[in-house]
Amino acid sequence: MKQHASVLVVVLGLLAILAVIGVAFLTLSSLERSTATSFALQTQMMIAADGALDYAVHQMVTDVWEWNVTGTSSTPVFNFTGNLLTGREASGNPATPPYYGACETYDCPSAADPWLSTPIVENATPAQISFGDKSDTLFWIKFGSQVTGPDNLGMPVTAPAKNGIWIPDLAAPCDQYLIRASVTILDHNALVNLNAHGNFRNSGTWEYNDCGGKGYFISDVVPPVDLNALLFGTGAVPGCWGSDGPGNPKAGAVLIENPRDPLTGATDIPYTLDEEFELRNLWGTHFKSRLEYFWDGLDATPDNPDLSMRRLKATTVSWTAEVRGDGNATSHAIMKNAAGTTDFGWSAAKVDLNTASPDAIYEALRDGRAWEDTTELKQLVANIVAFRSRKGFDFVTIGGTNYYIGANRQAIFSEVTCTGGDPVTDNTDPNKPDIIRTYTVKVEIYNPWPGDFDGDPDGGYATWQQYVYFNVDLPHTVAPAAAQSIPAPGQMPPDTCNTLQATVTCRSNLTIKDVLKSIRLQKYSGTFGGKYLNLDLVTAADVASLETNNRIYRKVWWVDERRSSKTTNNAPIRVFYVAGWFTGDAETPNQPQKDSGLEASCIPIRFPNCIPDNQTAQLPVRGSTGAPYKAFARVGDLNQVLRFLPGPDPAGRNTWWSEPWICIVCRTQRTQENNVKFDWMKNIDSLDVAGGTAAAYAANVLSAGGPWNDVLDNDGDKKTDFDDTGKPAAGQTGGPECRVAGKINLNTATPDTLSALASGVGAPGLGGLTANRPFKSPAQILKYLTPPANASIEQRDSAFTLISNIATVRSDTFSVYGTVQIVNPPPRTAAVVIPDSAIVRTRRFWALVDRSPSLAYPPTDKTNFIYPRILNFQWLD
């Protein structure tokens, strides 16, 4: 009997097809499930990365805007006070609110800034990683004993890195897994900025070439030796900077200046975020950017750790918000116009020594804890205004109703001679014969100054309404009895003397030392603003010496100092030296007693007087021949300003100054110069005292120009200077123009950056100061430097002065390196250590954060507060 199996074959075939379909379905279902799971995990990792970045940015905001915690320890309430950079350190205890968070005026990896990492140096591990041992009290989180973490930077190091710890606030369940994140925050102001640094002693033709190395510009920084080919054009690329130089020729402001494009040859093409990403991706990339075209050393590859480390020396962006903070102010300090009549609404910028109003300078020094609120401070402000003004002696209003007059260019007494004095019997009244002595007193008035201001066309010093008074008591007489005008009033040529004389008659057999109480050089014949303005003074003690020696005189000397080597492009500043009184020596008529040795032994006196009456902005450091320049080219030049007490004088007369400045300077030894000029080291030890007052704090609140006053659009929002409100509603998310590129934070600068800074401005010794961090002011470095012997205050402070426009103790641009992991945690024990085998997935990211816009409006201003800008976010794997 035949057996038929054809149907079975068909069935088997169908079963096979169904099996294939089933397997495919199961495979596809598994793949889709795996894909969905992977997508979910990737989404969770992205959310975790966003959370980690948000967490880091929040620390940046709370570091500059003061906040406190009220309520109870179990139900705390977090509050912003609306005050910026008050200088208040973390205080109190979270268990006993209110507790104030740290709002110090500096950024330094320390217990006060546990979110900030120290610089990565070669293959070493940073000493302070992201969140330190004080995090439990500063941020309400406890990390327990776990201090190790992932290599957030992804460097190909040979030893296990400790570049972060897992942040409990960022841990969350994800299906059966746990997702966690860690961040490490690096400061860009610690690095050499390829867009802003490197114009020192270039052989090219720039406008400011001859000012290189004097600390006038942020770009006065020498890059590390291995970047010379990049920044000096000594390699394959011809030239490196634009012909206009690293700044605005009109304002003398530092702007970003960039190398030529290697392909097109175009100038002023900045390094972009693409290049910044390549620098920050320390493992290297597989494409060649302009960085490699300029310098092969920036071509990092995964198998070369040394090249990776080179990338940690350089950046293309480093912004710092040049705001002064609130200090001792009781409310948020708001930016105002120069007249103080318009309130712009945003955080007050650092006060420009060259253009700010007297009240603005006074408030900055007072609220910034640079000086006690005394009449001496107000007199100092008047001297600052006079130092920069060409108006001569004038009222300075400070604090609304108080008036002060600052030290200015003036003529001085250079010599006094006395002849006669033989006794003669006067028998006019035979019943009362009298013995009289008659003296001829001659005074020499000397003018060392070449004009009343820089570029003065007549080159003379205006002596109008200046008088000499011989003060004698009755019944003694002086002839002429009235005050005498300086001979040839009007324009007194420089380095010349005028002479006048008087006859003093002494009765009762008294000598001139008993009768002539003083000789005064006085501005105006009477009072000025209700007070006498004494410019120079021969005291009773000086008259006694005059009687004994018949002649007293002052030694003088002067030199003309230029700010650059090209004498045709800038006017000189006369530096005047004077000492006295001396006695003896032969008289040289109408000639002062000059002594070049004073330059090494006396106090230098400068009065640039360079700002025209109608010019309050746009002041170049130098321009074409005869053009004005800034009186304060550097913040550190403040130590050239005289300081003294306002009146009355020791005799009780109602005077503007207790003594003429020339008298104070004459009797002050060079070793005591800090007593008669602004002293950056005054109370410098108080920098470490809570609420202390120290002159060094002035470096944190003053500037010598800024982007808010340069008639340029520095942030690309089509608004300039005070028209740039920075308000988000106006589309100006970059904030007002209060930020500067290229400042170097002394608290975070790498050894290479410090070396570049020291070489760029000739200030050796900076590299050895890292052990003294944190610096609360750039001027604090003076505490740890040894000045040369017999140094003037300017020579003593030269290291700080040279870097005063470049250095800062704050930063606002940061790289946030982060690692996100999905782990399968083991069962909880007393000490949970997650092994590598439990790690399901790891991803690393990098973000570039600009905090500077968020310093414009306080977080309490919900409408205008600007969140720190995330300039770039990239996964690194």
Side-chain angles (χ1 to χ4, degrees), residues 282-581:
L282 304 176
W283 273 95
T285 55
H286 296 285
F287 63 91
K288 191 169 186 177
S289 72
R290 291 190 301 163
L291 293 170
E292 285 89 351
Y293 277 106
F294 281 105
W295 182 35
D296 290 337
L298 292 177
D299 185 11
T301 54
D303 59 349
N304 194 330
D306 291 336
L307 293 182
S308 294
M309 297 311 305
R310 287 184 181 182
R311 292 169 175 246
L312 286 170
K313 299 178 180 180
T315 183
T316 66
V317 55
S318 54
W319 295 105
T320 304
E322 289 291 90
V323 294
R324 76 178 194 222
D326 294 329
N328 285 337
T330 56
S331 60
H332 183 37
I334 303 299
M335 188 70 179
K336 296 180 180 180
N337 63 352
T341 56
T342 301
D343 192 332
F344 291 110
W346 62 80
S347 297
K350 289 184 177 181
V351 172
D352 188 345
L353 283 168
N354 292 291
T355 62
S357 68
D359 274 341
I361 300 174
Y362 163 68
E363 291 167 2
L365 294 175
R366 177 197 65 192
D367 298 338
R369 300 199 301 278
W371 211 275
E372 299 87 352
D373 188 8
T374 60
T375 55
E376 184 183 11
L377 170 59
K378 295 176 181 178
Q379 180 64 62
L380 172 65
V381 173
N383 291 349
I384 292 172
V385 174
F387 185 85
R388 73 188 191 187
S389 173
R390 63 178 275 186
K391 288 184 178 181
F393 296 103
D394 199 6
F395 284 121
V396 175
T397 304
I398 302 172
T401 57
N402 296 314
Y403 297 95
Y404 295 84
I405 294 178
N408 213 316
R409 298 186 185 193
Q410 65 172 65
I412 69 168
F413 290 139
S414 57
E415 180 183 79
V416 185
T417 60
C418 176
T419 58
D422 294 333
V424 176
T425 301
D426 181 6
N427 292 317
T428 305
D429 184 350
N431 297 320
K432 295 182 179 180
D434 192 8
I435 296 177
I436 64 173
R437 299 174 185 270
T438 302
Y439 296 86
T440 300
V441 180
K442 183 171 63 175
V443 295
E444 189 176 80
I445 299 118
Y446 173 65
N447 168 44
W449 308 108
D452 297 303
F453 52 86
D454 171 42
D456 186 353
D458 56 46
Y461 166 70
T463 60
W464 64 280
Q465 292 192 346
Q466 295 187 22
Y467 302 88
V468 176
Y469 287 81
F470 294 83
N471 303 307
V472 299
D473 293 334
L474 294 174
H476 317 287
T477 60
V478 59
Q484 300 184 55
S485 298
I486 293 181
Q491 297 297 329
M492 188 174 179
D495 197 28
T496 61
C497 295
N498 285 328
T499 304
L500 55 82
Q501 69 180 36
T503 300
V504 178
T505 301
C506 306
R507 296 187 176 276
S508 304
N509 202 25
L510 297 179
T511 61
I512 194 170
K513 67 179 177 59
D514 303 312
V515 173
L516 183 59
K517 302 302 181 183
S518 66
I519 306 174
R520 300 197 318 268
L521 176 60
Q522 183 175 304
K523 180 74 171 175
Y524 306 110
S525 58
T527 60
F528 176 50
K531 301 178 182 180
Y532 293 100
L533 179 54
N534 291 340
L535 304 183
D536 202 353
L537 182 66
V538 177
T539 67
D542 299 327
V543 174
S545 178
L546 176 65
E547 179 179 317
T548 303
N549 299 282
N550 298 325
R551 176 176 181 251
I552 59 174
Y553 64 93
R554 287 170 170 153
K555 293 181 180 180
V556 300
W557 186 251
W558 55 262
V559 293
D560 283 339
E561 178 183 83
R562 296 183 182 272
R563 288 181 172 172
S564 77
S565 58
K566 294 185 177 180
T567 58
T568 59
N569 285 337
N570 66 107
I573 298 173
R574 178 146 297 183
V575 186
F576 179 51
Y577 303 86
V578 59
W581 294 95

Side-chain angles (χ1 to χ4, degrees), residues 113-147:
D113 289 326
W115 53 274
L116 185 59
S117 173
T118 56
I120 313 296
V121 181
E122 301 309 323
N123 288 338
T125 300
Q128 184 76 30
I129 308 301
S130 296
F131 302 95
D133 59 344
K134 297 295 182 182
S135 299
D136 56 336
T137 58
L138 290 172
F139 301 111
W140 292 81
I141 53 179
K142 290 182 179 293
F143 296 113
S145 60
Q146 184 180 4
V147 295

Side-chain angles (χ1 to χ4, degrees), residues 200-201 213-215 220-222 634 746 753-769 781-782 785 795-804 806-807:
F200 173 67
R201 293 175 183 167
K214 294 191 176 181
D220 280 341
V221 176
V222 172
R634 302 162 297 196
L746 298 180
T753 304
L754 288 175
S755 175
L757 181 57
S759 300
V761 295
L766 295 179
L769 299 178
I781 67 170
L782 294 172
L785 295 175
Q795 293 168 335
R796 183 201 71 181
D797 297 349
S798 62
F800 163 66
T801 300
L802 288 167
I803 69 170
S804 59
I806 304 168

Side-chain angles (χ1 to χ4, degrees), residues 379-385 387 606 632 637-643 676-679 794:
Q379 180 64 62
L380 172 65
V381 173
N383 291 349
I384 292 172
V385 174
F387 185 85
R606 294 175 175 84
F632 294 95
D637 291 333
L638 186 59
N639 61 8
Q640 298 176 9
V641 176
L642 295 170
R643 67 179 177 95
V676 298
K677 286 186 177 179
F678 181 90
D679 181 14
E794 294 164 40

